[in-house]
Amino acid sequence: DDSAGDGGSRTVKIGVGGKSLMVYLPTTLADELGYFTDEGLDVTFDDLEGGSKALQALQGGSVDVVNGFYEHTIQMQAKGRDLTAFVAMLRYPSMVLAVSPKASKEIKAVEDLQGAKVGVTAPGSSTDFFLKYLLSTNGLELDAASVHGIGGDTKALAAVESGQVDAAVLLEPAFSLLQKRAGEGGVRVLEDTRTEAGVREVFDVSTYPSAVLYSNADWVDENRETARKMAKAIVRALNWIEQHSAQEIADKMPEEYSAGEPEVYVAALDAAKDAYSQDGRVSTDGAEAVARVLGLSIPEVAETDIDVSKTFTNEFVEE
Amino acid sequence: MSAPPGTRPTDEDGKAGSVTAAARRKSAARRRRVVVRSMQVAIAVAGIGSWEILVNADVLDEFFFPRPTDVAERIGDWLADGEIFDHLLVTLTEAVLALLIGSALGLVTGFLLARWRLLAEILDPYIKMLNSLPRVVLAPIFLLWFGLGIWSKVVFGVTLVFFIVFFNTYQGVREVSPVLVDNARILGARERQMLRHVFLPSALTWIFSSLHVSVGFAIVGAVVGEYLGASEGMGYLISEAEGLLDTTGVFAGMVVLAAVVLVIDLIVHRVERFLLRWKPVAPT
Amino acid sequence: MSAPPGTRPTDEDGKAGSVTAAARRKSAARRRRVVVRSMQVAIAVAGIGSWEILVNADVLDEFFFPRPTDVAERIGDWLADGEIFDHLLVTLTEAVLALLIGSALGLVTGFLLARWRLLAEILDPYIKMLNSLPRVVLAPIFLLWFGLGIWSKVVFGVTLVFFIVFFNTYQGVREVSPVLVDNARILGARERQMLRHVFLPSALTWIFSSLHVSVGFAIVGAVVGEYLGASEGMGYLISEAEGLLDTTGVFAGMVVLAAVVLVIDLIVHRVERFLLRWKPVAPT
Amino acid sequence: MSTATATVELADIAVSFPANDGTDYTAVADIRLCVEAGTFVSVVGPTGCGKTTLLNAIAGLLTPSSGKVLIDGEPLRGLNERVGYLFQQEALLPWKNVLDNVAFGLQLRGIGRAAREAAAREWIRRVGLTGFERAYPHQLSGGMRKRVAVAQTFLVDPDILLMDEPFGALDVQTRQIMENELLELWTGSGKTVIFVTHDLDEAVSLSDEVVLLSAGPASHIVGRYPIDLPRPRDLMDLRARPEITEIYARIWADLREEVMKGYERSSGYAAD
Amino acid sequence: MSTATATVELADIAVSFPANDGTDYTAVADIRLCVEAGTFVSVVGPTGCGKTTLLNAIAGLLTPSSGKVLIDGEPLRGLNERVGYLFQQEALLPWKNVLDNVAFGLQLRGIGRAAREAAAREWIRRVGLTGFERAYPHQLSGGMRKRVAVAQTFLVDPDILLMDEPFGALDVQTRQIMENELLELWTGSGKTVIFVTHDLDEAVSLSDEVVLLSAGPASHIVGRYPIDLPRPRDLMDLRARPEITEIYARIWADLREEVMKGYERSSGYAAD
Ligand SMILES: Nc1ncnc2c1ncn2[C@@H]1O[C@H](COP(=O)(O)OP(=O)(O)OP(=O)(O)O)[C@@H](O)[C@H]1O
Ligand SMILES: Nc1ncnc2c1ncn2[C@@H]1O[C@H](COP(=O)(O)OP(=O)(O)OP(=O)(O)O)[C@@H](O)[C@H]1O
Ligand SMILES: [Mg+2]
Ligand SMILES: [Mg+2]
């Protein structure tokens, strides 16, 4: 039997755009801690190569829910399709604009990126939008820097370390590892959105939704109970994170996750811990900030009158 | 099939008859070409047309399968804009370099191992293991060694082309008729001369067969290389469009690539026809 | 190379002499095998050893090039843990299915087009265009049509294997000696019999040459497919390790894959040797 | 054994091949020849004159540039299903052993393994290859391969038998054995045999008629020599008979003339 | 023209091939033969007895299972660099036209294009193929290809000439022309010629000695027939001379005996 009585399916397929990425940790943690099971849900994960692949999997019906970036709900609204984010797991997007230790020129501020090579995970991804936004708010043209897609992991590290790019927008744990390898003061950070201060400085809002669980608006409508249960499990995981140390969290994660360099993993987690949401809510001003950022890079979004209220709902996390 | 009665009288005389035969062959070839071209167009029209209809009828989801007219329009925009040519040039350069370097390496290695059998036996497992490595996973190392410029993409393509050409060259050289080999050796051919006069010409059909596959793989290598990390090129364009959930852009990029492949393959085909001009026409 | 003097006397008698010759051939083959194996081991030892030394001497960055001993240890852990076998089984299933389906399709299409030349000419540009499409970009459509299970990965592999086998089969069939074709037709062979008795056996060396490349590509297809979206399999494992910047895990995964390829290729090789047992040993 | 008979008629046939300079090389022209059903005709001529080309046309492997091949008065279209053809070149399947090669024709006709192998073994014996049933073609000598081909062709028992220098690679005695086998197969069978050979002795002693082609290009028939000797013939005896020596001498002289003509001409005609 | 001479000696040679059942098939055994430098020796024997095998051994293409090939008393190792070998099978390079095929040997020796093509054209004329210089092998008839091979081999002017049924595919007259060319090339050159043929007439009229091999397996030399006729010989005349007819008859009878033996034996020995 597939239905949980009223309002929803009991089995849920979640597509994740890189399950081992730290931004999606709460979902894995909730699963490891058995919170989904507690809710009577049978959750399976499919790991996809990135956020947009996960979204496509959702559109194609391969998964029910995506653990991905909030931006996609806005992008899809511009395409006339409604997605609804129903629980957030990050309040700060945790993107770091860092300068390569081997940069070809002195880069002290975003303005210095003029004519530089800057790495992002992929053209057309959140990191790319972030970069464009920074460029424009610092008075530069959108194409002032040449953008390189360098991925989010080993490849990004290789590119930054070897000076293939002068600067890059990095995610955890790549940034922590870079810092560790470059040594004390080896990496100059231009912008750091892992903290509230950083987010406020860049986006002028207190929270900026990024990693969320979203699905098609129809699915959320038809599976309200399931959505509520999932949101509840995630919020429990978020609370657990708040109450435990990075080391304790790492210990709960699957064994493979600390197979590489456990210390780095813990250090990265420690640095990113503060970025996790505490209540699972998406704030309206944050959502509007996202729409603003996207509008800069995507004409389609700029041209559409985006109604952010349709892109998320906090009703499942408000207990 | 008897000749049409009208041409009969001239056949009485040997020379005139032969001219007629040559002319007849030529016009048959021309007729065939017309049939082929029109069938190709028909297929294209039917394929694209039904696609368009299916999208309009909402049988195909426009999100995944953009309307052909939109794709065409996008390509039109790109061409008008002109920026596409820079991207195309980059990708083309990478693909052509990958094709040239990859097949040169494949050829040399293929010949070397085919002629030096002990070495071939020793290296056999290593070559097969290397061929099974997922290139995508090796991207960080390519990047580290070859940078973010065109060379990491070229290497990407080379790792695909090399194996395809290598295996065929290797087998092609080993398939050379032993009598030809013996005859050439008896006539005094040294190893280098054997390569040039016996092994290479004899393996040419094998080599060209692998080149036809390789053209596609060289392009794929370049695009996927760009897809994994670049700031220009068709792969970059496609990856950007994908990030923006702009499937029209993705398809437009692929259509441009496909068109380019035909051009490269045409060149390969011309070279092939020239080098294999000694061949009798294949039996039907 | 004259026979060693000791074996001489027995050669006086035809039968005894021939037994000696057979024995001599056998022991030579055994000696050769020993040389090959020991050289292979030597290469492995030298390669891995120098890698280890270079890492220890900090010439190679341990992060990008994990220490071979660490990789071995990781594989040991995996094997002890046992979970790896599930992943391996998934990937293997995908790769083998891709190999079987891809080569079956390639064979059938290759034969069809080689025998039906007009169709081949018409479809030629389409096939070449399809071969140039970057499969990675098509991943969303594969997902749409074939879901997130093993079938999207199988299709991924099939799109690689198909073209490699197709081009070689096509060319292989066209390379069949015209005299053999004529003789078989005169003896009364129908088209189906021609395929079975003439074209297929004659094209077999071509087909097997492409199969050797395909084994690697089938694995690559499966892994990259998993890499793009999956919940199990070696590609999933590797992609997970990559997300965690765990290069040791990435390399361990690739080593396991490489080992598996050798096993599949061994099977292909056995089948090849059986089917081509009529072949004279190649000239040296 | 089939008893159908077939008349082969070449009605004004010409064959030309494309040369490398874009023009045509006319191999044979103006060939008019009628081979009555059940007769044994040998074709001789200078090397390269077009004998193989004619056989190919009769087999339907090659469409004449002009003229028609008529089988029992019907114009031939496509492959001639009634011929057996022993090619000048080697045409054994390298991946089948001797037994399977010989039995191939029967296999194609759907005859069961036991039956066709029995028949094949019988013919292998008749061509003197017993013991080599399991050998592959590359393990045989040139003459042995030729004999396998003979067995392969004879076994399918066709109405029309085309043979292109079938016994040239055999020693004199084996050749005689083969000739006898051929005559035995043919005698009373009503088969039409068209036999190309360079051995005039052979041509004369086997045939009802010898046809001489001129030197190429545009080779045509320059002489027809009916051999009115009683059958069955004793091949051993025959060569000493005066009629034979006389015909032999005539063909020899005419052929010589043709060869010499060809030699002189060959510097005049240029294929390039 | 080279003037070096070479004695070819087969010292107790045996050759066996692996059969398909894992045992060996002994093709030739106990072959002891010394061909003095500058002599012309013909080898005859039943088809499949091992003539080609012997030539391959002399050419160094095949290592005897036992025994040695001695060239001027030196044991042969690897390829015999002093031979020219006209193969029984077709061995022209399909991708070279007639001119390039004939000139191939000289090209390999680094001779300039103009010089080698002039030499090649001369030989093309001598084998009667002028006009076909630009044709590729597949555009030639079987006999024409054979003549191209003859020109190719003769042009490199080797010390030892191995010829395996070189003229079997040619008509009688062209054959005589070729035989004369061969004798002309050989006479006074000091070349050693080993000539395999099925035409006893040809063997007797060309050679200093005819060697007869027994039927296989384990074929050995059963007869040696010195031909003490004066040279230069007029081939046309020769065939009528009584000495010839007598030798011919002897070889014929001995060969016949061997062929018959082979025929009877072939059911006794089994290769499978
Ligand atoms: N495919 C071809 N292309 C061009 N020319 C050809 C082709 N086949 C045959 N010829 C020419 O046709 C002529 C006749 O060839 P054919 O093989 O019929 O001769 P033949 O009488 O059988 O000679 P032989 O006795 O040497 O076998 C030759 O001059 C040859 O060059
Ligand atoms: N590669 C091989 N493998 C197995 N057996 C072989 C091989 N080559 C030759 N033989 C055998 O050796 C014997 C002699 O062959 P060879 O070719 O020397 O005969 P030949 O005297 O040249 O005959 P022909 O007159 O028919 O050309 C034959 O019985 C043949 O089956
Ligand atoms: Mg012929
Ligand atoms: Mg022989």
Side-chain angles (χ1 to χ4, degrees), chain A residues 204-229:
Chain A
D204 199 25
V205 290
S206 57
T207 64
Y208 183 91
S210 53
V212 295
L213 286 185
Y214 67 76
S215 184
N216 289 316
D218 296 343
W219 186 90
V220 176
D221 256 0
E222 285 157 23
N223 296 279
R224 302 179 61 81
E225 200 49 41
T226 310
R228 184 182 313 284
K229 287 173 174 172

mmCIF file of all heavy atoms in Angstrom, chain A residues 204-229:
data_model
loop_
_atom_site.group_PDB
_atom_site.id
_atom_site.type_symbol
_atom_site.label_atom_id
_atom_site.label_comp_id
_atom_site.label_asym_id
_atom_site.label_seq_id
_atom_site.Cartn_x
_atom_site.Cartn_y
_atom_site.Cartn_z
ATOM 1 N N ASP A 204 21.900 42.024 1.780
ATOM 2 C CA ASP A 204 21.108 42.967 2.547
ATOM 3 C C ASP A 204 19.813 42.351 3.066
ATOM 4 O O ASP A 204 18.772 43.005 3.130
ATOM 5 C CB ASP A 204 20.803 44.221 1.699
ATOM 6 C CG ASP A 204 20.390 45.386 2.589
ATOM 7 O OD1 ASP A 204 20.792 45.364 3.776
ATOM 8 O OD2 ASP A 204 19.666 46.272 2.105
ATOM 9 N N VAL A 205 19.866 41.080 3.399
ATOM 10 C CA VAL A 205 18.747 40.419 4.073
ATOM 11 C C VAL A 205 19.337 39.553 5.167
ATOM 12 O O VAL A 205 20.556 39.296 5.164
ATOM 13 C CB VAL A 205 17.923 39.519 3.114
ATOM 14 C CG1 VAL A 205 17.141 40.359 2.133
ATOM 15 C CG2 VAL A 205 18.836 38.531 2.416
ATOM 16 N N SER A 206 18.514 39.082 6.093
ATOM 17 C CA SER A 206 19.081 38.301 7.181
ATOM 18 C C SER A 206 19.174 36.817 6.831
ATOM 19 O O SER A 206 20.048 36.112 7.294
ATOM 20 C CB SER A 206 18.258 38.487 8.452
ATOM 21 O OG SER A 206 16.930 38.131 8.184
ATOM 22 N N THR A 207 18.253 36.337 6.040
ATOM 23 C CA THR A 207 18.384 34.956 5.576
ATOM 24 C C THR A 207 18.133 34.938 4.080
ATOM 25 O O THR A 207 17.372 35.739 3.538
ATOM 26 C CB THR A 207 17.366 34.010 6.247
ATOM 27 O OG1 THR A 207 16.056 34.430 5.861
ATOM 28 C CG2 THR A 207 17.510 34.018 7.748
ATOM 29 N N TYR A 208 18.788 33.966 3.448
ATOM 30 C CA TYR A 208 18.726 33.864 1.988
ATOM 31 C C TYR A 208 18.505 32.401 1.675
ATOM 32 O O TYR A 208 19.406 31.570 1.878
ATOM 33 C CB TYR A 208 20.045 34.378 1.415
ATOM 34 C CG TYR A 208 20.118 34.406 -0.095
ATOM 35 C CD1 TYR A 208 19.744 35.549 -0.807
ATOM 36 C CD2 TYR A 208 20.597 33.320 -0.813
ATOM 37 C CE1 TYR A 208 19.845 35.594 -2.180
ATOM 38 C CE2 TYR A 208 20.698 33.357 -2.193
ATOM 39 C CZ TYR A 208 20.318 34.507 -2.879
ATOM 40 O OH TYR A 208 20.414 34.551 -4.250
ATOM 41 N N PRO A 209 17.318 32.019 1.256
ATOM 42 C CA PRO A 209 17.034 30.591 1.097
ATOM 43 C C PRO A 209 17.874 29.972 -0.016
ATOM 44 O O PRO A 209 17.991 30.561 -1.090
ATOM 45 C CB PRO A 209 15.547 30.560 0.727
ATOM 46 C CG PRO A 209 15.260 31.903 0.176
ATOM 47 C CD PRO A 209 16.203 32.868 0.845
ATOM 48 N N SER A 210 18.452 28.828 0.273
ATOM 49 C CA SER A 210 19.171 28.134 -0.812
ATOM 50 C C SER A 210 18.751 26.668 -0.830
ATOM 51 O O SER A 210 17.839 26.308 -1.577
ATOM 52 C CB SER A 210 20.671 28.321 -0.694
ATOM 53 O OG SER A 210 21.125 27.949 0.579
ATOM 54 N N ALA A 211 19.372 25.825 -0.001
ATOM 55 C CA ALA A 211 18.995 24.415 -0.045
ATOM 56 C C ALA A 211 17.606 24.225 0.577
ATOM 57 O O ALA A 211 17.362 24.647 1.694
ATOM 58 C CB ALA A 211 20.016 23.566 0.702
ATOM 59 N N VAL A 212 16.724 23.611 -0.192
ATOM 60 C CA VAL A 212 15.349 23.383 0.275
ATOM 61 C C VAL A 212 14.878 22.034 -0.222
ATOM 62 O O VAL A 212 15.544 21.402 -1.046
ATOM 63 C CB VAL A 212 14.389 24.458 -0.289
ATOM 64 C CG1 VAL A 212 14.735 25.829 0.240
ATOM 65 C CG2 VAL A 212 14.400 24.439 -1.811
ATOM 66 N N LEU A 213 13.753 21.595 0.286
ATOM 67 C CA LEU A 213 13.030 20.509 -0.365
ATOM 68 C C LEU A 213 11.905 21.159 -1.161
ATOM 69 O O LEU A 213 11.176 21.985 -0.638
ATOM 70 C CB LEU A 213 12.412 19.558 0.659
ATOM 71 C CG LEU A 213 13.316 18.597 1.410
ATOM 72 C CD1 LEU A 213 12.471 17.659 2.274
ATOM 73 C CD2 LEU A 213 14.186 17.784 0.479
ATOM 74 N N TYR A 214 11.835 20.821 -2.454
ATOM 75 C CA TYR A 214 10.720 21.353 -3.221
ATOM 76 C C TYR A 214 10.133 20.254 -4.087
ATOM 77 O O TYR A 214 10.752 19.198 -4.287
ATOM 78 C CB TYR A 214 11.140 22.566 -4.060
ATOM 79 C CG TYR A 214 12.115 22.282 -5.182
ATOM 80 C CD1 TYR A 214 11.692 21.670 -6.365
ATOM 81 C CD2 TYR A 214 13.447 22.670 -5.076
ATOM 82 C CE1 TYR A 214 12.577 21.431 -7.387
ATOM 83 C CE2 TYR A 214 14.336 22.437 -6.094
ATOM 84 C CZ TYR A 214 13.906 21.811 -7.253
ATOM 85 O OH TYR A 214 14.786 21.562 -8.270
ATOM 86 N N SER A 215 8.946 20.526 -4.564
ATOM 87 C CA SER A 215 8.355 19.598 -5.526
ATOM 88 C C SER A 215 7.379 20.388 -6.386
ATOM 89 O O SER A 215 7.211 21.596 -6.215
ATOM 90 C CB SER A 215 7.642 18.454 -4.802
ATOM 91 O OG SER A 215 7.172 17.524 -5.762
ATOM 92 N N ASN A 216 6.766 19.685 -7.323
ATOM 93 C CA ASN A 216 5.742 20.342 -8.128
ATOM 94 C C ASN A 216 4.609 20.779 -7.203
ATOM 95 O O ASN A 216 4.248 20.074 -6.259
ATOM 96 C CB ASN A 216 5.175 19.372 -9.170
ATOM 97 C CG ASN A 216 6.196 19.078 -10.255
ATOM 98 O OD1 ASN A 216 6.852 19.994 -10.744
ATOM 99 N ND2 ASN A 216 6.344 17.816 -10.596
ATOM 100 N N ALA A 217 4.040 21.948 -7.475
ATOM 101 C CA ALA A 217 2.974 22.473 -6.637
ATOM 102 C C ALA A 217 1.839 21.451 -6.517
ATOM 103 O O ALA A 217 1.270 21.247 -5.434
ATOM 104 C CB ALA A 217 2.452 23.788 -7.209
ATOM 105 N N ASP A 218 1.552 20.772 -7.612
ATOM 106 C CA ASP A 218 0.489 19.760 -7.598
ATOM 107 C C ASP A 218 0.781 18.651 -6.607
ATOM 108 O O ASP A 218 -0.076 18.204 -5.865
ATOM 109 C CB ASP A 218 0.331 19.124 -8.993
ATOM 110 C CG ASP A 218 -0.116 20.148 -10.000
ATOM 111 O OD1 ASP A 218 -0.594 21.215 -9.557
ATOM 112 O OD2 ASP A 218 0.036 19.888 -11.212
ATOM 113 N N TRP A 219 2.030 18.216 -6.640
ATOM 114 C CA TRP A 219 2.399 17.105 -5.747
ATOM 115 C C TRP A 219 2.210 17.538 -4.290
ATOM 116 O O TRP A 219 1.656 16.809 -3.482
ATOM 117 C CB TRP A 219 3.851 16.675 -5.986
ATOM 118 C CG TRP A 219 4.248 15.452 -5.195
ATOM 119 C CD1 TRP A 219 4.134 14.155 -5.590
ATOM 120 C CD2 TRP A 219 4.787 15.419 -3.862
ATOM 121 N NE1 TRP A 219 4.561 13.310 -4.614
ATOM 122 C CE2 TRP A 219 4.973 14.050 -3.531
ATOM 123 C CE3 TRP A 219 5.114 16.391 -2.920
ATOM 124 C CZ2 TRP A 219 5.485 13.638 -2.300
ATOM 125 C CZ3 TRP A 219 5.636 15.997 -1.691
ATOM 126 C CH2 TRP A 219 5.815 14.619 -1.386
ATOM 127 N N VAL A 220 2.678 18.758 -3.990
ATOM 128 C CA VAL A 220 2.570 19.241 -2.617
ATOM 129 C C VAL A 220 1.102 19.321 -2.210
ATOM 130 O O VAL A 220 0.722 18.932 -1.108
ATOM 131 C CB VAL A 220 3.263 20.606 -2.471
ATOM 132 C CG1 VAL A 220 3.072 21.160 -1.060
ATOM 133 C CG2 VAL A 220 4.750 20.483 -2.789
ATOM 134 N N ASP A 221 0.287 19.789 -3.132
ATOM 135 C CA ASP A 221 -1.141 19.885 -2.864
ATOM 136 C C ASP A 221 -1.757 18.535 -2.557
ATOM 137 O O ASP A 221 -2.563 18.379 -1.651
ATOM 138 C CB ASP A 221 -1.859 20.460 -4.097
ATOM 139 C CG ASP A 221 -2.223 21.909 -3.844
ATOM 140 O OD1 ASP A 221 -1.904 22.393 -2.738
ATOM 141 O OD2 ASP A 221 -2.804 22.541 -4.747
ATOM 142 N N GLU A 222 -1.352 17.552 -3.375
ATOM 143 C CA GLU A 222 -1.979 16.236 -3.234
ATOM 144 C C GLU A 222 -1.367 15.420 -2.100
ATOM 145 O O GLU A 222 -1.921 14.414 -1.693
ATOM 146 C CB GLU A 222 -1.838 15.450 -4.549
ATOM 147 C CG GLU A 222 -2.784 15.963 -5.617
ATOM 148 C CD GLU A 222 -2.284 15.607 -7.016
ATOM 149 O OE1 GLU A 222 -1.495 14.646 -7.134
ATOM 150 O OE2 GLU A 222 -2.686 16.322 -7.955
ATOM 151 N N ASN A 223 -0.170 15.807 -1.654
ATOM 152 C CA ASN A 223 0.499 15.013 -0.627
ATOM 153 C C ASN A 223 0.845 15.889 0.567
ATOM 154 O O ASN A 223 1.977 15.892 1.042
ATOM 155 C CB ASN A 223 1.765 14.366 -1.198
ATOM 156 C CG ASN A 223 1.460 13.375 -2.307
ATOM 157 O OD1 ASN A 223 1.110 12.240 -2.061
ATOM 158 N ND2 ASN A 223 1.553 13.842 -3.542
ATOM 159 N N ARG A 224 -0.143 16.630 1.006
ATOM 160 C CA ARG A 224 0.114 17.590 2.089
ATOM 161 C C ARG A 224 0.642 16.886 3.337
ATOM 162 O O ARG A 224 1.575 17.355 3.966
ATOM 163 C CB ARG A 224 -1.177 18.356 2.432
ATOM 164 C CG ARG A 224 -1.742 19.097 1.224
ATOM 165 C CD ARG A 224 -3.032 19.817 1.582
ATOM 166 N NE ARG A 224 -2.820 20.812 2.627
ATOM 167 C CZ ARG A 224 -2.337 22.010 2.389
ATOM 168 N NH1 ARG A 224 -2.012 22.371 1.165
ATOM 169 N NH2 ARG A 224 -2.179 22.861 3.379
ATOM 170 N N GLU A 225 0.046 15.753 3.639
ATOM 171 C CA GLU A 225 0.453 15.046 4.841
ATOM 172 C C GLU A 225 1.913 14.596 4.734
ATOM 173 O O GLU A 225 2.699 14.732 5.664
ATOM 174 C CB GLU A 225 -0.483 13.842 5.056
ATOM 175 C CG GLU A 225 -0.478 13.318 6.466
ATOM 176 C CD GLU A 225 -0.659 14.416 7.500
ATOM 177 O OE1 GLU A 225 -1.500 15.343 7.279
ATOM 178 O OE2 GLU A 225 0.055 14.379 8.507
ATOM 179 N N THR A 226 2.244 14.055 3.567
ATOM 180 C CA THR A 226 3.622 13.605 3.359
ATOM 181 C C THR A 226 4.572 14.786 3.487
ATOM 182 O O THR A 226 5.625 14.687 4.127
ATOM 183 C CB THR A 226 3.756 12.960 1.957
ATOM 184 O OG1 THR A 226 2.710 12.012 1.811
ATOM 185 C CG2 THR A 226 5.087 12.289 1.798
ATOM 186 N N ALA A 227 4.216 15.904 2.862
ATOM 187 C CA ALA A 227 5.071 17.081 2.925
ATOM 188 C C ALA A 227 5.259 17.522 4.368
ATOM 189 O O ALA A 227 6.366 17.848 4.798
ATOM 190 C CB ALA A 227 4.468 18.205 2.093
ATOM 191 N N ARG A 228 4.161 17.497 5.092
ATOM 192 C CA ARG A 228 4.242 17.917 6.490
ATOM 193 C C ARG A 228 5.212 17.000 7.267
ATOM 194 O O ARG A 228 6.070 17.453 7.999
ATOM 195 C CB ARG A 228 2.849 17.856 7.136
ATOM 196 C CG ARG A 228 2.833 18.384 8.571
ATOM 197 C CD ARG A 228 1.455 18.270 9.196
ATOM 198 N NE ARG A 228 0.353 18.736 8.354
ATOM 199 C CZ ARG A 228 0.074 20.031 8.142
ATOM 200 N NH1 ARG A 228 0.811 20.957 8.708
ATOM 201 N NH2 ARG A 228 -0.931 20.372 7.374
ATOM 202 N N LYS A 229 5.108 15.702 7.004
ATOM 203 C CA LYS A 229 5.967 14.753 7.714
ATOM 204 C C LYS A 229 7.435 14.958 7.346
ATOM 205 O O LYS A 229 8.323 14.909 8.202
ATOM 206 C CB LYS A 229 5.559 13.320 7.378
ATOM 207 C CG LYS A 229 4.241 12.921 8.039
ATOM 208 C CD LYS A 229 3.800 11.566 7.536
ATOM 209 C CE LYS A 229 2.565 11.082 8.301
ATOM 210 N NZ LYS A 229 2.026 9.859 7.694
#
